[in-house]
Amino acid sequence: MWGRNVYDSISKFLQFQLTVNVVAVIVAFTGACITQDSPLKAVQMLWVNLIMDTFASLALATEPPTEALLLRKPYGRNKPLISRTMMKNILGHAVYQLTLIFTLLFVGEELGQARCSAQRLQML
């Protein structure tokens, strides 16, 4: 039971870490190529790493095993650690996060100005 719980926790940890790292690398590289300046400075990248490692390790350490783990078959020795489903989840979440981040990076200022001018019109 504990072995299956550890395996599941490591899989979840890897999925989270890979998603965040893929997004961070793409944002840093693409942002540097397009804006000629990195959108995330070195200190900001360190904070992102610190926060994501902290939350991931907390999730890894705080999930207790359940009896339901014993109802499924054990994974084989040759089964890959990152399954197709996990890869789809990683890519799907990365696309969602990249869409949101690039929207804020490239159109965020205009969105903020439009909202401020709409609020000013309501005040008048």
Side-chain angles (χ1 to χ4, degrees):
M1 180 168 52
W2 282 95
R4 292 179 189 187
N5 187 43
V6 168
Y7 184 89
D8 289 347
S9 295
I10 289 172
S11 293
K12 291 174 189 176
F13 177 80
L14 278 176
Q15 183 173 338
F16 178 78
Q17 290 286 72
L18 288 174
T19 303
V20 175
N21 283 324
V22 164
V23 171
V25 166
I26 292 173
V27 166
F29 180 75
T30 308
C33 289
I34 293 175
T35 64
Q36 303 300 320
D37 187 29
S38 179
L40 294 171
K41 307 296 182 224
V43 174
Q44 291 169 327
M45 285 294 277
L46 288 172
W47 275 106
V48 167
N49 269 331
L50 178 70
I51 291 169
M52 84 175 174
D53 290 345
T54 303
F55 287 142
S57 61
L58 281 174
L60 178 66
T62 57
E63 189 169 343
T66 62
E67 294 291 327
L69 291 171
L70 296 175
L71 298 176
R72 72 159 199 247
K73 291 182 180 179
Y75 295 121
R77 263 182 204 200
N78 298 329
K79 182 187 179 291
L81 194 55
I82 300 172
S83 65
R84 284 188 186 268
T85 305
M86 284 177 64
M87 190 57 71
K88 288 177 187 176
N89 287 339
I90 290 168
L91 294 175
H93 284 277
V95 167
Y96 171 73
Q97 291 175 21
L98 286 170
T99 303
L100 186 65
I101 289 172
F102 284 144
T103 300
L104 291 174
L105 182 64
F106 297 120
V107 217
E109 192 172 337
E110 289 85 14
L111 291 174
Q113 288 174 352
R115 182 174 170 96
C116 288
S117 60
Q119 287 177 347
R120 282 189 208 129
L121 288 175
Q122 286 179 349
M123 290 178 161
L124 296 175

